[in-house]
Amino acid sequence: MTTQMIEPRMELEQNLHMYRQMAKIRAFEEQVNELYKSAKMPGLAHLYVGEEAVAVGVCEALRRDDFITSTHRGHGHCLAKGASVNRMFAELLGKESGYCRGKGGSMHIADPETGNLGANAIVGGSAGIATGAALSRRCGAATRSPCASSATARSARGCSTKR
């Protein structure tokens, strides 16, 4: 087995990219917490603080066109997969310009354009969504691979189908 050498500059840039992604998620979550505490945000907020590396690490291993599902702590997954910070805030604030027209709130954000099949507040609820996506891929109806996060979002499951 041979290993491919990674040019040090490329590795540094990839590491910096991942660090910036984690910092963006942390800053987003801190702002969400402030909005929630000041009662400027309707509904609840289940923060992803301290879990940023999970979302970034998993999403970096995926292709842009792969699917993900998420949990009730899905902000980090959404952002790591490429969601817009502005549309995320719009969704959390109940604005029409949000991903689900302001109706999904913190726990039900979905973004089909980035392959995000949605967050689910039911423990283990995203497993069925990912299974359905994997089945549609296997049957030829989709070309993307699904990836489902675990019930607590503290660790992530690998892709459900072989490439």
Side-chain angles (χ1 to χ4, degrees):
M1 180 174 159
T2 62
T3 58
Q4 184 177 4
M5 295 295 288
I6 298 174
E7 189 176 321
R9 181 75 183 154
M10 289 177 60
E11 186 176 335
L12 174 63
E13 290 190 22
Q14 183 179 19
N15 290 340
L16 287 172
H17 167 73
M18 290 189 292
Y19 176 78
R20 287 184 191 110
Q21 286 286 88
M22 289 186 290
K24 176 175 69 173
I25 293 168
R26 175 65 62 96
F28 179 87
E29 294 297 85
E30 288 172 348
Q31 185 63 43
V32 168
N33 192 40
E34 289 303 313
L35 289 169
Y36 179 73
K37 287 190 322 187
S38 63
K40 294 178 182 171
M41 187 179 92
L44 299 172
H46 293 276
L47 301 178
Y48 200 71
V49 171
E51 302 172 16
E52 299 88 352
V54 174
V56 172
V58 168
C59 289
E60 283 298 312
L62 299 174
R63 293 186 317 220
R64 175 89 174 135
D65 64 344
D66 284 338
F67 291 123
I68 66 166
T69 62
S70 189
T71 69
H72 66 287
R73 296 187 191 278
H75 305 158
H77 304 133
C78 295
L79 293 169
K81 192 66 168 85
S84 158
V85 170
N86 291 338
R87 285 189 71 191
M88 292 277 295
F89 274 123
E91 183 62 34
L92 296 177
L93 295 171
K95 307 288 184 190
E96 178 75 21
S97 58
Y99 278 106
C100 300
R101 300 175 69 192
K103 306 289 186 205
S106 179
M107 292 187 276
H108 301 287
I109 295 173
D111 179 20
E113 288 184 25
T114 61
N116 181 351
L117 299 177
N120 195 311
I122 299 169
V123 174
S126 59
I129 298 167
T131 301
L135 181 61
S136 71
R137 180 174 189 260
R138 175 163 263 175
C139 294
T143 58
R144 298 170 163 185
S145 294
C147 183
S149 68
S150 71
T152 63
R154 293 198 183 277
S155 65
R157 303 288 183 225
C159 293
S160 332
T161 62
K162 294 181 181 177
R163 292 199 186 244

